[in-house]
Amino acid sequence: MGLVGMDENGVGDSLGRMNKYRRMGSSDEGVDDEAAAGGEHPLERRNRTRKYVFACAVFASLNSVLLGYDVGVMSGAIIFIQEDLKITEVQMETLIGCLSILSLFGSLAGGRTSDVIGRKWTMALAALVFQTGAVVMTFAHSFEVLMIGRFLAGIGIGFGVMIAPVYIAEISPTVNRGSLTSFPEIFINLGILLGYVSNYAFSGLSIHISWRVMLAVGILPSAFIGFALFVIPESPRWLVLQNRVDDARAVLLKTNDNEKEVEERLAEILVAAGIGQAEKTEEKAVWRELLSPSPALRRMLITGCGIQCFQQITGIDATVYYSPEIFKAAGIHGNRNLLAATVAVGVTKTAVILVAIILIDKVGRKPLLYVSTIGMTACLFCVGIALSLLKGAHVGAALAILSVCGNVAFFSVGIGPICWVLTSEIYPLRMRAQAAALGAVGNRVCSGLVAMSFLSMSRWITVAGTFFVFSAISALSIAFVHTFVPETKGKSLEQIESLFQSPIGWKNGQVELEDAEHLVEKQQNQVPVIHAVIH
């Protein structure tokens, strides 16, 4: 059926999946007797490994706090920057939106960088570059210097947003990979909330000082990232790509509670990396494959890049960056009142993301995406109603606040975190980082275009009209999810590839039994070679 073996672009069944088909999504099965024999109770080992993976996911997500904080803090800081530096409305849009556009360069470079120096040190580089940009912005005395700081911050964020989900997906057990890979989105939301709180807390300072203090607080998370580098390991899949098989095994032993499964997973990764195959044809460069994709890779790119773009063109960054402008249009006045209303948005966005973390590996990706996109469509339409038909009335202001909070809530329960989960798990190992980087570029471009055009669009078709447009685009995202997004819950990273080998698997998210039998047979033929390499 064309699902087995490497296709002409190297995107075939690049991993043996025999064991995964026998116990899909059941990494907790089969308590390891070797662990018990070694003197450590299996349950103790299981708890220890889960805590370790949890800690790694948390530390790897710290860069996302920087992005979230910048998004949240700029929504309030821009009010004081405009008064202090006397910048124009166009300069406001440029200053806010350019971060997303600039971050695409970091995302583009991040894929290749992470393949060269590793996932771990790419995260370190992201924090260093962002911190430098934050310092420059804090002491800026003109719009031009602010833009230099934004340039550096954007590059750092670009590195960070694409590498964290990839790293977490590569170290996480299958059974809770979705929840753990959602952590960056949690920390983005936490950063946004901290930015809103910072705006409110420092709004009482003088105009010249307030926005500088707001931006300076964004430097603090970098210190924790430096500490994290001494805790988290390198990705085992990257280590295999560097022929460091023993190091990869050591990491897998820390992140899995079953030693037998460690060897099985290591064997699969070795096959994916092309190590241990008797015959290996000369492979094209990854970027050549991405530019001239096979049918399977084309399906992956449609799903990955499409969901990344829809996450942003539905207007979430406009809602977050310009929430004071939206509430002002709804009839709320006074800087402190506007900033206090934005805190409610931040609290809602952060609280609801926890729901997604709990449900993503239980309910599945696709059902949550349906709830998310349908809910966002309704809330965006209600914002338009509140700002047009009910403008100026108390009920209009209340509906605007509730609808904005509802929009960010539905975003956080679905498309917000799941966008990054999907793009970190659907691509083959050899091109995962660079393909994910390509999706992150689309995300950042769409984010920048929305952020840089919102005020101009609002002047042209009104704020209400802009939200009606966002609602229509959100309705299109429902159709996209239905047509192009398969369910990946409970499947290993290696197994997910097979979903894209045929249009049927892509559309319904199921692996045919006959395909599984072919894969088992292929794995059985490869096992002797793999074990020879491992041992």
Side-chain angles (χ1 to χ4, degrees), residues 31-86:
V31 174
D32 189 8
D33 294 333
E34 295 180 21
E40 183 181 21
H41 193 279
L43 291 178
E44 292 179 356
R45 175 171 179 174
R46 180 174 302 171
N47 290 334
R48 175 172 57 81
T49 56
R50 287 182 175 179
K51 288 177 181 177
Y52 182 74
V53 174
F54 179 86
C56 290
V58 169
F59 284 128
S61 303
L62 288 177
N63 267 317
S64 300
V65 176
L66 303 177
L67 170 59
Y69 184 82
D70 184 273
V71 171
V73 80
M74 283 302 293
S75 68
I78 194 66
I79 298 174
F80 303 99
I81 293 173
Q82 184 182 29
E83 294 181 26
D84 186 27
L85 301 183
K86 310 301 181 185

Side-chain angles (χ1 to χ4, degrees), residues 297-470:
L297 180 57
R298 187 179 301 113
R299 297 180 192 113
M300 295 175 187
L301 291 172
I302 290 172
T303 298
C305 295
I307 199 70
Q308 288 275 16
C309 292
F310 270 113
Q311 190 209 48
Q312 291 298 326
I313 59 176
T314 48
I316 188 63
D317 274 6
T319 304
V320 174
Y321 273 128
Y322 296 108
S323 51
E325 293 289 330
I326 297 168
F327 295 142
K328 186 184 296 183
I332 301 173
H333 302 290
N335 286 345
R336 287 188 68 83
N337 291 333
L338 291 170
L339 296 178
T342 62
V343 172
V345 176
V347 170
T348 303
K349 199 171 188 300
T350 305
V352 176
I353 188 66
L354 300 177
V355 177
I357 300 307
I358 295 170
L359 296 180
I360 191 170
D361 282 318
K362 295 181 180 179
V363 176
R365 283 61 156 157
K366 200 159 184 173
L368 288 181
L369 282 173
Y370 279 134
V371 171
S372 176
T373 51
I374 293 172
M376 287 171 60
T377 302
C379 288
L380 289 167
F381 187 80
C382 287
V383 174
I385 293 294
L387 299 181
S388 56
L389 301 181
L390 303 175
K391 185 177 181 180
H394 290 299
V395 65
L399 180 60
I401 294 175
L402 289 174
S403 298
V404 169
C405 289
N407 180 54
V408 298
F410 281 113
F411 176 89
S412 292
V413 84
I415 198 169
I418 293 174
C419 163
W420 299 103
V421 172
L422 282 173
T423 53
S424 65
E425 63 186 8
I426 64 175
Y427 297 113
L429 170 63
R430 192 171 56 83
M431 61 182 65
R432 181 171 299 140
Q434 296 189 51
L438 190 62
V441 168
N443 181 281
R444 295 294 87 203
V445 169
C446 292
S447 171
L449 291 176
V450 169
M452 294 178 72
S453 63
F454 179 78
L455 291 179
S456 298
M457 285 284 290
S458 298
R459 301 293 178 268
W460 180 35
I461 60 173
T462 73
V463 179
T466 304
F467 274 93
F468 285 133
V469 171
F470 286 149

Side-chain angles (χ1 to χ4, degrees), residues 9-23:
N9 283 336
V11 190
D13 173 50
S14 52
L15 294 124
R17 299 182 178 86
M18 175 178 63
N19 297 293
K20 297 304 177 190
Y21 281 93
R22 292 178 178 175
R23 45 181 178 72

